[in-house]
mmCIF file of all heavy atoms in Angstrom:
data_model
loop_
_atom_site.group_PDB
_atom_site.id
_atom_site.type_symbol
_atom_site.label_atom_id
_atom_site.label_comp_id
_atom_site.label_asym_id
_atom_site.label_seq_id
_atom_site.Cartn_x
_atom_site.Cartn_y
_atom_site.Cartn_z
ATOM 1 N N ARG A 152 9.711 19.450 -8.573
ATOM 2 C CA ARG A 152 10.657 19.706 -7.509
ATOM 3 C C ARG A 152 10.524 18.787 -6.338
ATOM 4 O O ARG A 152 11.424 18.620 -5.542
ATOM 5 C CB ARG A 152 10.536 21.152 -7.060
ATOM 6 C CG ARG A 152 10.830 22.157 -8.113
ATOM 7 C CD ARG A 152 10.852 23.584 -7.609
ATOM 8 N NE ARG A 152 10.687 24.480 -8.658
ATOM 9 C CZ ARG A 152 11.678 24.804 -9.544
ATOM 10 N NH1 ARG A 152 12.834 24.222 -9.387
ATOM 11 N NH2 ARG A 152 11.457 25.621 -10.499
ATOM 12 N N ALA A 155 3.724 16.149 -4.387
ATOM 13 C CA ALA A 155 2.731 17.155 -4.144
ATOM 14 C C ALA A 155 2.649 17.516 -2.669
ATOM 15 O O ALA A 155 2.471 18.665 -2.303
ATOM 16 C CB ALA A 155 1.372 16.715 -4.663
ATOM 17 N N PHE A 156 2.782 16.521 -1.778
ATOM 18 C CA PHE A 156 2.619 16.800 -0.334
ATOM 19 C C PHE A 156 3.893 16.287 0.443
ATOM 20 O O PHE A 156 3.823 15.174 0.963
ATOM 21 C CB PHE A 156 1.349 16.096 0.171
ATOM 22 C CG PHE A 156 0.141 16.389 -0.635
ATOM 23 C CD1 PHE A 156 -0.503 15.366 -1.283
ATOM 24 C CD2 PHE A 156 -0.395 17.680 -0.670
ATOM 25 C CE1 PHE A 156 -1.643 15.669 -1.993
ATOM 26 C CE2 PHE A 156 -1.487 17.984 -1.421
ATOM 27 C CZ PHE A 156 -2.134 16.941 -2.113
ATOM 28 N N PRO A 157 4.937 17.107 0.454
ATOM 29 C CA PRO A 157 6.180 16.650 1.033
ATOM 30 C C PRO A 157 6.027 16.307 2.553
ATOM 31 O O PRO A 157 6.571 15.330 3.000
ATOM 32 C CB PRO A 157 7.114 17.819 0.880
ATOM 33 C CG PRO A 157 6.531 18.655 -0.222
ATOM 34 C CD PRO A 157 5.053 18.453 -0.163
ATOM 35 N N HIS A 228 -0.785 13.411 -11.475
ATOM 36 C CA HIS A 228 -1.827 14.154 -12.179
ATOM 37 C C HIS A 228 -1.475 15.621 -12.362
ATOM 38 O O HIS A 228 -1.715 16.199 -13.412
ATOM 39 C CB HIS A 228 -3.123 14.001 -11.417
ATOM 40 C CG HIS A 228 -4.004 12.949 -11.883
ATOM 41 N ND1 HIS A 228 -4.873 13.041 -12.939
ATOM 42 C CD2 HIS A 228 -4.111 11.626 -11.415
ATOM 43 C CE1 HIS A 228 -5.449 11.827 -13.106
ATOM 44 N NE2 HIS A 228 -5.005 11.000 -12.178
ATOM 45 N N LYS A 229 -0.929 16.214 -11.281
ATOM 46 C CA LYS A 229 -0.849 17.619 -11.271
ATOM 47 C C LYS A 229 0.463 18.215 -11.497
ATOM 48 O O LYS A 229 0.632 19.502 -11.593
ATOM 49 C CB LYS A 229 -1.422 18.180 -9.955
ATOM 50 C CG LYS A 229 -2.862 17.740 -9.676
ATOM 51 C CD LYS A 229 -3.844 18.479 -10.552
ATOM 52 C CE LYS A 229 -5.233 17.966 -10.288
ATOM 53 N NZ LYS A 229 -6.168 18.308 -11.409
ATOM 54 N N MET A 230 1.554 17.490 -11.462
ATOM 55 C CA MET A 230 2.839 18.095 -11.439
ATOM 56 C C MET A 230 3.773 17.719 -12.555
ATOM 57 O O MET A 230 4.985 17.903 -12.463
ATOM 58 C CB MET A 230 3.496 17.826 -10.063
ATOM 59 C CG MET A 230 2.611 18.199 -8.920
ATOM 60 S SD MET A 230 3.338 18.204 -7.367
ATOM 61 C CE MET A 230 4.607 19.406 -7.437
ATOM 62 N N ILE A 255 -4.937 2.608 -2.920
ATOM 63 C CA ILE A 255 -5.991 3.411 -2.418
ATOM 64 C C ILE A 255 -7.296 2.693 -2.394
ATOM 65 O O ILE A 255 -8.111 2.866 -1.471
ATOM 66 C CB ILE A 255 -6.090 4.673 -3.318
ATOM 67 C CG1 ILE A 255 -4.870 5.499 -3.099
ATOM 68 C CG2 ILE A 255 -7.349 5.446 -2.988
ATOM 69 C CD1 ILE A 255 -4.752 6.657 -4.077
ATOM 70 N N PRO A 259 -8.057 0.299 2.384
ATOM 71 C CA PRO A 259 -9.068 0.584 3.352
ATOM 72 C C PRO A 259 -9.891 -0.674 3.774
ATOM 73 O O PRO A 259 -10.306 -0.743 4.868
ATOM 74 C CB PRO A 259 -9.944 1.633 2.642
ATOM 75 C CG PRO A 259 -9.129 2.249 1.661
ATOM 76 C CD PRO A 259 -8.154 1.223 1.190
ATOM 77 N N PHE A 274 -13.761 -6.054 22.392
ATOM 78 C CA PHE A 274 -15.078 -5.773 22.885
ATOM 79 C C PHE A 274 -16.013 -7.013 22.768
ATOM 80 O O PHE A 274 -17.139 -6.948 23.239
ATOM 81 C CB PHE A 274 -15.738 -4.618 22.101
ATOM 82 C CG PHE A 274 -15.002 -3.340 22.213
ATOM 83 C CD1 PHE A 274 -14.368 -2.796 21.136
ATOM 84 C CD2 PHE A 274 -14.865 -2.660 23.445
ATOM 85 C CE1 PHE A 274 -13.688 -1.587 21.211
ATOM 86 C CE2 PHE A 274 -14.184 -1.472 23.545
ATOM 87 C CZ PHE A 274 -13.589 -0.952 22.434
ATOM 88 N N GLY A 277 -19.056 -9.658 17.639
ATOM 89 C CA GLY A 277 -18.776 -10.862 16.803
ATOM 90 C C GLY A 277 -19.264 -10.683 15.319
ATOM 91 O O GLY A 277 -20.387 -11.055 15.033
ATOM 92 N N ASP A 286 -19.628 -14.779 10.917
ATOM 93 C CA ASP A 286 -19.314 -15.680 9.845
ATOM 94 C C ASP A 286 -17.894 -15.620 9.440
ATOM 95 O O ASP A 286 -17.429 -14.629 8.931
ATOM 96 C CB ASP A 286 -20.211 -15.392 8.643
ATOM 97 C CG ASP A 286 -20.026 -16.408 7.556
ATOM 98 O OD1 ASP A 286 -19.067 -17.229 7.590
ATOM 99 O OD2 ASP A 286 -20.820 -16.382 6.615
ATOM 100 N N GLN B 148 7.189 23.344 -3.744
ATOM 101 C CA GLN B 148 7.193 22.331 -4.780
ATOM 102 C C GLN B 148 6.268 22.660 -5.960
ATOM 103 O O GLN B 148 6.290 21.969 -6.927
ATOM 104 C CB GLN B 148 6.816 20.936 -4.173
ATOM 105 C CG GLN B 148 5.405 20.782 -3.736
ATOM 106 C CD GLN B 148 5.168 21.248 -2.348
ATOM 107 O OE1 GLN B 148 5.945 22.114 -1.791
ATOM 108 N NE2 GLN B 148 4.157 20.768 -1.704
ATOM 109 N N GLU B 150 4.470 25.374 -8.891
ATOM 110 C CA GLU B 150 4.848 26.477 -9.795
ATOM 111 C C GLU B 150 3.831 27.579 -9.628
ATOM 112 O O GLU B 150 4.159 28.733 -9.873
ATOM 113 C CB GLU B 150 4.882 26.014 -11.253
ATOM 114 C CG GLU B 150 5.857 24.897 -11.536
ATOM 115 C CD GLU B 150 7.321 25.420 -11.381
ATOM 116 O OE1 GLU B 150 7.648 26.368 -12.119
ATOM 117 O OE2 GLU B 150 8.082 24.821 -10.577
ATOM 118 N N GLN B 154 -2.217 25.453 -9.368
ATOM 119 C CA GLN B 154 -1.736 24.054 -9.301
ATOM 120 C C GLN B 154 -1.783 23.522 -7.871
ATOM 121 O O GLN B 154 -2.279 22.436 -7.643
ATOM 122 C CB GLN B 154 -0.270 24.064 -9.801
ATOM 123 C CG GLN B 154 0.279 22.668 -9.995
ATOM 124 C CD GLN B 154 1.775 22.658 -10.219
ATOM 125 O OE1 GLN B 154 2.464 23.584 -9.811
ATOM 126 N NE2 GLN B 154 2.277 21.684 -10.943
ATOM 127 N N GLN B 157 -5.439 22.905 -6.874
ATOM 128 C CA GLN B 157 -5.982 21.700 -7.467
ATOM 129 C C GLN B 157 -5.384 20.454 -6.773
ATOM 130 O O GLN B 157 -6.150 19.460 -6.509
ATOM 131 C CB GLN B 157 -5.589 21.657 -8.933
ATOM 132 C CG GLN B 157 -6.450 22.538 -9.777
ATOM 133 C CD GLN B 157 -6.164 22.374 -11.270
ATOM 134 O OE1 GLN B 157 -5.414 21.475 -11.599
ATOM 135 N NE2 GLN B 157 -6.796 23.163 -12.119
ATOM 136 N N ALA B 158 -4.127 20.495 -6.500
ATOM 137 C CA ALA B 158 -3.459 19.323 -5.820
ATOM 138 C C ALA B 158 -4.081 19.081 -4.459
ATOM 139 O O ALA B 158 -4.430 17.984 -4.053
ATOM 140 C CB ALA B 158 -2.002 19.529 -5.724
ATOM 141 N N MET B 161 -7.589 17.625 -4.869
ATOM 142 C CA MET B 161 -7.572 16.252 -5.338
ATOM 143 C C MET B 161 -7.167 15.272 -4.204
ATOM 144 O O MET B 161 -7.733 14.275 -4.054
ATOM 145 C CB MET B 161 -6.622 16.129 -6.574
ATOM 146 C CG MET B 161 -6.679 14.763 -7.151
ATOM 147 S SD MET B 161 -5.534 14.634 -8.583
ATOM 148 C CE MET B 161 -5.628 12.895 -8.851
ATOM 149 N N MET B 165 -9.396 12.264 -2.709
ATOM 150 C CA MET B 165 -8.921 10.824 -2.726
ATOM 151 C C MET B 165 -8.948 10.293 -1.312
ATOM 152 O O MET B 165 -9.323 9.140 -1.118
ATOM 153 C CB MET B 165 -7.549 10.791 -3.384
ATOM 154 C CG MET B 165 -7.623 11.078 -4.832
ATOM 155 S SD MET B 165 -6.061 11.025 -5.576
ATOM 156 C CE MET B 165 -5.816 9.316 -5.599
ATOM 157 N N THR B 169 -10.986 6.981 0.133
ATOM 158 C CA THR B 169 -10.477 5.840 0.936
ATOM 159 C C THR B 169 -11.312 5.654 2.159
ATOM 160 O O THR B 169 -11.572 4.494 2.593
ATOM 161 C CB THR B 169 -9.036 5.943 1.284
ATOM 162 O OG1 THR B 169 -8.887 7.063 2.163
ATOM 163 C CG2 THR B 169 -8.158 6.145 0.066
ATOM 164 N N TYR B 184 -25.798 -9.460 4.647
ATOM 165 C CA TYR B 184 -26.587 -10.081 5.672
ATOM 166 C C TYR B 184 -28.045 -9.554 5.760
ATOM 167 O O TYR B 184 -28.983 -10.344 6.061
ATOM 168 C CB TYR B 184 -25.939 -9.902 7.063
ATOM 169 C CG TYR B 184 -24.715 -10.754 7.240
ATOM 170 C CD1 TYR B 184 -23.439 -10.180 7.331
ATOM 171 C CD2 TYR B 184 -24.769 -12.131 7.222
ATOM 172 C CE1 TYR B 184 -22.342 -10.988 7.484
ATOM 173 C CE2 TYR B 184 -23.671 -12.966 7.329
ATOM 174 C CZ TYR B 184 -22.444 -12.355 7.474
ATOM 175 O OH TYR B 184 -21.377 -13.149 7.615
ATOM 176 N N VAL B 266 -21.744 -6.664 23.707
ATOM 177 C CA VAL B 266 -20.434 -6.168 23.677
ATOM 178 C C VAL B 266 -19.776 -6.325 25.024
ATOM 179 O O VAL B 266 -20.510 -6.273 26.064
ATOM 180 C CB VAL B 266 -20.425 -4.663 23.232
ATOM 181 C CG1 VAL B 266 -19.036 -4.072 23.424
ATOM 182 C CG2 VAL B 266 -20.898 -4.552 21.816
ATOM 183 N N LEU B 267 -18.477 -6.509 25.113
ATOM 184 C CA LEU B 267 -17.767 -6.508 26.394
ATOM 185 C C LEU B 267 -18.301 -7.572 27.290
ATOM 186 O O LEU B 267 -18.326 -7.422 28.530
ATOM 187 C CB LEU B 267 -17.861 -5.169 27.084
ATOM 188 C CG LEU B 267 -17.118 -3.997 26.417
ATOM 189 C CD1 LEU B 267 -17.569 -2.704 27.060
ATOM 190 C CD2 LEU B 267 -15.572 -4.151 26.505
ATOM 191 N N ASN B 286 -24.263 -6.180 16.465
ATOM 192 C CA ASN B 286 -22.821 -6.074 16.263
ATOM 193 C C ASN B 286 -22.461 -5.061 15.195
ATOM 194 O O ASN B 286 -21.626 -4.140 15.391
ATOM 195 C CB ASN B 286 -22.227 -7.428 15.893
ATOM 196 C CG ASN B 286 -22.067 -8.356 17.009
ATOM 197 O OD1 ASN B 286 -21.853 -7.925 18.122
ATOM 198 N ND2 ASN B 286 -22.211 -9.646 16.835
#
Side-chain angles (χ1 to χ4, degrees):
Chain A
R152 297 185 199 286
F156 310 115
H228 268 276
K229 300 289 177 197
M230 305 191 64
I255 292 170
F274 300 114
D286 183 350
Chain B
Q148 70 273 24
E150 300 290 304
Q154 189 191 25
Q157 283 186 6
M161 186 179 171
M165 290 178 73
T169 64
Y184 286 115
V266 171
L267 293 167
N286 281 328

